[in-house]
Short mmCIF file of all heavy atoms in Angstrom, two decimals:
data_model
loop_
_atom_site.label_atom_id
_atom_site.label_comp_id
_atom_site.label_asym_id
_atom_site.label_seq_id
_atom_site.Cartn_x
_atom_site.Cartn_y
_atom_site.Cartn_z
N MET A 1 110.24 52.92 97.04
CA MET A 1 109.81 54.10 96.30
C MET A 1 108.35 53.92 95.91
O MET A 1 107.95 52.90 95.38
CB MET A 1 110.69 54.27 95.07
CG MET A 1 110.26 55.39 94.20
SD MET A 1 111.29 55.78 92.77
CE MET A 1 112.43 54.48 92.61
N SER A 2 107.58 54.95 96.17
CA SER A 2 106.15 54.90 95.90
C SER A 2 105.85 55.37 94.49
O SER A 2 106.40 56.35 94.02
CB SER A 2 105.42 55.78 96.90
OG SER A 2 104.07 55.92 96.53
N GLY A 3 104.96 54.66 93.80
CA GLY A 3 104.52 55.09 92.49
C GLY A 3 103.35 56.06 92.57
O GLY A 3 102.96 56.66 91.59
N ARG A 4 102.81 56.22 93.76
CA ARG A 4 101.68 57.12 93.95
C ARG A 4 102.18 58.51 94.30
O ARG A 4 103.17 58.66 95.01
CB ARG A 4 100.80 56.62 95.09
CG ARG A 4 100.25 55.23 94.82
CD ARG A 4 99.23 54.94 95.82
NE ARG A 4 97.97 55.18 95.12
CZ ARG A 4 96.82 54.73 95.52
NH1 ARG A 4 96.72 54.07 96.63
NH2 ARG A 4 95.74 54.97 94.83
N PRO A 5 101.49 59.52 93.81
CA PRO A 5 101.89 60.89 94.16
C PRO A 5 101.75 61.15 95.67
O PRO A 5 100.85 60.63 96.32
CB PRO A 5 100.91 61.77 93.39
CG PRO A 5 100.37 60.89 92.31
CD PRO A 5 100.39 59.50 92.87
N VAL A 6 102.69 61.92 96.18
CA VAL A 6 102.69 62.32 97.59
C VAL A 6 102.58 63.84 97.62
O VAL A 6 103.28 64.53 96.88
CB VAL A 6 103.99 61.86 98.29
CG1 VAL A 6 104.05 62.37 99.72
CG2 VAL A 6 104.12 60.35 98.23
N LYS A 7 101.72 64.35 98.48
CA LYS A 7 101.54 65.80 98.60
C LYS A 7 102.75 66.40 99.30
O LYS A 7 103.15 65.93 100.36
CB LYS A 7 100.27 66.13 99.36
CG LYS A 7 99.91 67.60 99.31
CD LYS A 7 98.57 67.87 99.94
CE LYS A 7 97.52 67.58 98.89
NZ LYS A 7 96.22 68.13 99.22
N ARG A 8 103.34 67.42 98.69
CA ARG A 8 104.53 68.10 99.22
C ARG A 8 104.24 69.59 99.32
O ARG A 8 103.58 70.16 98.46
CB ARG A 8 105.71 67.89 98.30
CG ARG A 8 105.77 66.49 97.72
CD ARG A 8 106.96 65.77 98.11
NE ARG A 8 107.01 64.47 97.44
CZ ARG A 8 107.62 63.45 97.94
NH1 ARG A 8 108.21 63.54 99.10
NH2 ARG A 8 107.67 62.31 97.30
N SER A 9 104.76 70.21 100.34
CA SER A 9 104.53 71.64 100.56
C SER A 9 105.65 72.47 99.96
O SER A 9 106.83 72.11 100.04
CB SER A 9 104.44 71.95 102.05
OG SER A 9 103.32 71.32 102.60
N LEU A 10 105.27 73.60 99.37
CA LEU A 10 106.20 74.56 98.80
C LEU A 10 105.75 75.96 99.21
O LEU A 10 104.58 76.16 99.56
CB LEU A 10 106.21 74.49 97.28
CG LEU A 10 106.70 73.21 96.62
CD1 LEU A 10 106.38 73.23 95.13
CD2 LEU A 10 108.19 73.06 96.83
N THR A 11 106.66 76.91 99.13
CA THR A 11 106.32 78.30 99.34
C THR A 11 106.67 79.06 98.07
O THR A 11 107.83 79.07 97.65
CB THR A 11 107.09 78.90 100.54
OG1 THR A 11 106.78 78.13 101.70
CG2 THR A 11 106.71 80.34 100.77
N LEU A 12 105.67 79.66 97.43
CA LEU A 12 105.88 80.44 96.21
C LEU A 12 105.56 81.89 96.51
O LEU A 12 104.43 82.24 96.84
CB LEU A 12 104.96 79.94 95.09
CG LEU A 12 105.13 78.51 94.65
CD1 LEU A 12 104.13 78.17 93.56
CD2 LEU A 12 106.54 78.26 94.16
N ARG A 13 106.60 82.72 96.43
CA ARG A 13 106.45 84.15 96.69
C ARG A 13 105.72 84.43 98.00
O ARG A 13 104.81 85.25 98.06
CB ARG A 13 105.76 84.83 95.51
CG ARG A 13 106.62 84.87 94.26
CD ARG A 13 105.83 85.43 93.09
NE ARG A 13 106.11 84.67 91.87
CZ ARG A 13 105.60 83.47 91.56
NH1 ARG A 13 104.75 82.89 92.34
NH2 ARG A 13 105.92 82.89 90.42
N GLY A 14 106.11 83.71 99.04
CA GLY A 14 105.56 83.94 100.36
C GLY A 14 104.25 83.23 100.66
O GLY A 14 103.73 83.35 101.77
N HIS A 15 103.70 82.49 99.71
CA HIS A 15 102.44 81.79 99.92
C HIS A 15 102.67 80.29 99.90
O HIS A 15 103.33 79.77 99.00
CB HIS A 15 101.42 82.16 98.84
CG HIS A 15 101.08 83.62 98.83
ND1 HIS A 15 100.25 84.18 99.75
CD2 HIS A 15 101.49 84.62 98.02
CE1 HIS A 15 100.15 85.47 99.52
NE2 HIS A 15 100.89 85.77 98.46
N ARG A 16 102.11 79.61 100.88
CA ARG A 16 102.22 78.15 100.94
C ARG A 16 101.30 77.52 99.91
O ARG A 16 100.18 77.98 99.70
CB ARG A 16 101.85 77.63 102.33
CG ARG A 16 102.73 78.12 103.45
CD ARG A 16 104.13 77.60 103.40
NE ARG A 16 104.17 76.19 103.79
CZ ARG A 16 105.22 75.41 103.63
NH1 ARG A 16 106.31 75.87 103.10
NH2 ARG A 16 105.17 74.16 104.00
N THR A 17 101.81 76.48 99.25
CA THR A 17 101.01 75.70 98.33
C THR A 17 101.51 74.27 98.40
O THR A 17 102.50 73.99 99.07
CB THR A 17 101.10 76.27 96.89
OG1 THR A 17 100.12 75.61 96.06
CG2 THR A 17 102.48 76.08 96.28
N SER A 18 100.84 73.38 97.73
CA SER A 18 101.30 72.00 97.72
C SER A 18 101.18 71.44 96.32
O SER A 18 100.36 71.90 95.51
CB SER A 18 100.50 71.14 98.71
OG SER A 18 99.15 71.11 98.36
#
Side-chain angles (χ1 to χ4, degrees):
M1 176 175 10
S2 170
R4 300 191 101 162
V6 175
K7 190 174 277 195
R8 320 242 185 207
S9 295
L10 296 169
T11 302
L12 299 178
R13 291 174 222 78
H15 299 283
R16 298 292 287 168
T17 190
S18 62

